Amino acid sequence: MRLTKFTDLALRAVMRLAVTAPEESVTTREVAESMDVPYAHMAKVVTRLQHLGVVEARRGRGGGLALTELGRRSSVGWLTRTLEGEEEVVACEGDPPCPLRTACRLRGALREAQEAFYRALDPLTVAELVSSPTGPLLLTLTPRPTP
């Protein structure tokens, strides 16, 4: 199974925010630059994470992003499931629909494998994702200089 780029960016953003000290202010732009992704993409990700209650954004001087308590203790499985949506691994009902869809066992097997993937992530929390050596490495990421 392959995650969407959106989910990948969201997980990386949450990990970056999980290692940010409470008194530190980190902006969307800084998170985007440290992850070497376009600001516009990261802004969309942050907006979605705010709607989920995982990230809080403070405006104005001294503002920035902060991971909420929900974000810190969230299951990686829940977060991934929520960001990925209910899409199945295969598009049996696509255009044109698969001619095997009425008698195919592949769709069920792939759905079961997808659920097993999420279940494997369920026990892992965001806080656990950033334990050593990941957390210290995240703190060293700096924006790449522009040419």
Side-chain angles (χ1 to χ4, degrees), residues 54-109:
V54 172
V55 170
E56 176 183 77
R58 297 177 304 267
R59 293 186 177 270
R61 188 176 175 100
L65 304 175
L67 196 60
T68 65
E69 186 55 36
L70 171 65
R72 200 166 300 287
R73 59 182 164 77
S74 286
S75 155
V76 176
W78 170 80
L79 192 53
T80 304
R81 235 184 234 101
T82 303
L83 293 167
E84 286 290 305
E86 296 297 318
E87 296 251 343
E88 293 195 40
V89 177
V90 292
C92 300
E93 305 299 329
D95 186 29
C98 177
L100 303 175
R101 72 186 180 282
T102 58
C104 182
R105 295 174 57 190
L106 179 62
R107 183 181 196 175

Side-chain angles (χ1 to χ4, degrees), residues 12-80:
R12 287 193 278 156
V14 165
M15 289 170 65
R16 174 59 182 91
L17 294 174
V19 297
T20 303
E23 66 279 356
E24 187 181 350
S25 176
V26 179
T27 66
T28 302
R29 185 166 308 283
E30 291 168 334
V31 173
E33 289 174 356
S34 70
M35 296 294 162
D36 198 25
V37 298
Y39 168 78
H41 292 352
M42 189 56 73
K44 289 176 187 173
V45 165
V46 167
T47 298
R48 178 78 167 110
L49 292 171
Q50 281 181 269
H51 288 295
L52 292 176
V54 172
V55 170
E56 176 183 77
R58 297 177 304 267
R59 293 186 177 270
R61 188 176 175 100
L65 304 175
L67 196 60
T68 65
E69 186 55 36
L70 171 65
R72 200 166 300 287
R73 59 182 164 77
S74 286
S75 155
V76 176
W78 170 80
L79 192 53
T80 304

Side-chain angles (χ1 to χ4, degrees), residues 75-146:
S75 155
V76 176
W78 170 80
L79 192 53
T80 304
R81 235 184 234 101
T82 303
L83 293 167
E84 286 290 305
E86 296 297 318
E87 296 251 343
E88 293 195 40
V89 177
V90 292
C92 300
E93 305 299 329
D95 186 29
C98 177
L100 303 175
R101 72 186 180 282
T102 58
C104 182
R105 295 174 57 190
L106 179 62
R107 183 181 196 175
L110 289 172
R111 183 68 176 156
E112 193 174 307
Q114 183 179 26
E115 276 307 310
F117 174 79
Y118 291 137
R119 275 194 310 274
L121 296 173
D122 282 339
L124 186 62
T125 65
V126 171
E128 291 169 327
L129 277 181
V130 296
S131 62
S132 190
T134 307
L137 176 64
L138 282 163
L139 291 171
T140 66
L141 298 179
T142 55
R144 291 188 179 174
T146 53

